[in-house]
Amino acid sequence: MKGKFVTIEGPDGAGKTTQVKKISDYLKSRGFKVLVTREPGGTPLGEKLREVLLTSEGESPVPEAEALIYAASRAQLVKKVIEPALDKGFTILCDRFVDSSLAYQGWARGLGIEELARINRWFLQDIWPDLTIVLDIDPAQSLNRLSGKKDRLESETLDFHRKVREGFLKLKDLYPQRIKIVDAAQNPDAIFKTILLELEKSGIINS
Ligand code: TYD
């Protein structure tokens, strides 16, 4: 049987990685075959592209180049990892996916959500998430949670991160069946409980 594809999205510092781990542990305890991956990255080539995308050193890509490098990493991940694992019945948990491109490049960088969707449809074909959880939080709050050296995207202005948030909220209106917004200002256990409810409602787990 074909597996299910769940993506976790949200602004930098929203707590995605913590939630991906919690969901993965929970699903495994319920006997699911789970595959956790991330974007950009998740394949050897994708991890190299991740370095190119996130370094603050050297020449920055222009927005169009940035969008295409994210897309290249995604195409590699979809064909090499996600599609084969879905065919084997895995539940996939992906830390960021196409909606990051729609929100960051399409909306915040101003390239156009529909334009980015079109580029991604070309290689995603029918591999779109069954469920997308967007962890929603005021970027002023989430960026404060980040520790250590900021990467190229994290170093963008607060205004840029506000546009990213706005982008995700727009996507929820465009794809209301698939995209669910979860308040990420709550504590991690409360966030996790809300995510479990969404997994139940979408039929990925039974209550
Ligand atoms: P991520 O590894 O999730 O960073 P963090 O764990 O710090 O949130 O993602 C790296 C950055 O890449 C993040 O700032 C969002 C950005 N990004 C895009 O701009 N477009 C995309 O398509 C993807 C997948 C990520």
Side-chain angles (χ1 to χ4, degrees):
M1 204 186 80
K2 213 168 175 322
K4 293 285 184 195
F5 183 19
V6 179
T7 59
I8 316 293
E9 299 275 6
D12 297 273
K16 288 180 283 81
T17 313
T18 308
Q19 294 302 327
V20 168
K21 173 88 176 65
K22 278 177 176 286
I23 303 165
S24 160
D25 289 348
Y26 177 83
L27 291 176
K28 282 180 186 162
S29 78
R30 297 266 314 249
F32 284 78
K33 293 194 291 180
V34 181
L35 187 137
V36 174
T37 187
R38 69 164 179 184
E39 275 208 5
T43 63
L45 175 63
E47 293 295 326
K48 284 190 188 162
L49 296 174
R50 179 183 178 89
E51 280 178 38
V52 168
L53 286 160
L54 299 186
T55 181
S56 302
E57 279 159 31
E59 186 187 23
S60 294
V62 297
E64 291 80 356
E66 179 179 84
L68 293 171
I69 304 170
Y70 278 112
S73 171
R74 181 165 309 125
Q76 192 75 6
L77 183 67
V78 165
K79 306 281 175 187
K80 291 276 199 171
V81 177
I82 294 179
E83 202 167 9
L86 284 174
D87 287 342
K88 289 186 193 132
F90 278 82
T91 302
I92 316 260
L93 295 177
C94 195
D95 187 337
R96 295 196 186 279
F97 195 65
V98 64
D99 299 294
S100 278
S101 281
L102 305 184
Y104 280 78
Q105 282 69 49
W107 186 250
R109 291 272 192 241
L111 296 179
I113 290 177
E114 182 45 39
E115 197 62 6
L116 264 291
R118 195 175 60 79
I119 292 166
N120 279 272
R121 273 197 293 269
W122 170 55
F123 60 88
L124 291 181
Q125 296 176 4
D126 61 345
I127 312 285
W128 282 69
D130 296 295
L131 173 69
T132 296
I133 302 287
V134 173
L135 298 182
D136 179 53
I137 186 164
D138 180 350
Q141 201 179 334
S142 62
L143 291 174
N144 257 337
R145 293 180 180 171
L146 298 175
S147 54
K149 196 167 171 276
K150 287 188 178 156
D151 67 35
R152 188 174 62 83
L153 274 289
E154 287 164 353
S155 310
E156 283 287 346
T157 62
L158 188 54
D159 265 2
F160 175 83
H161 288 283
R162 290 210 164 107
K163 285 220 86 174
V164 171
R165 182 188 198 189
E166 201 177 271
F168 279 122
L169 297 178
K170 278 185 183 295
L171 292 176
K172 182 204 163 271
D173 294 335
L174 279 176
Y175 305 101
Q177 290 287 89
R178 172 173 72 80
I179 298 190
K180 305 296 166 190
I181 304 284
V182 171
D183 176 6
Q186 312 173 78
N187 68 59
D189 286 336
I191 298 174
F192 179 58
K193 261 194 177 160
T194 317
I195 294 176
L196 281 188
L197 281 177
E198 294 298 349
L199 287 167
E200 279 172 19
K201 277 195 239 163
S202 63
I204 289 168
I205 56 174
N206 301 317
S207 45

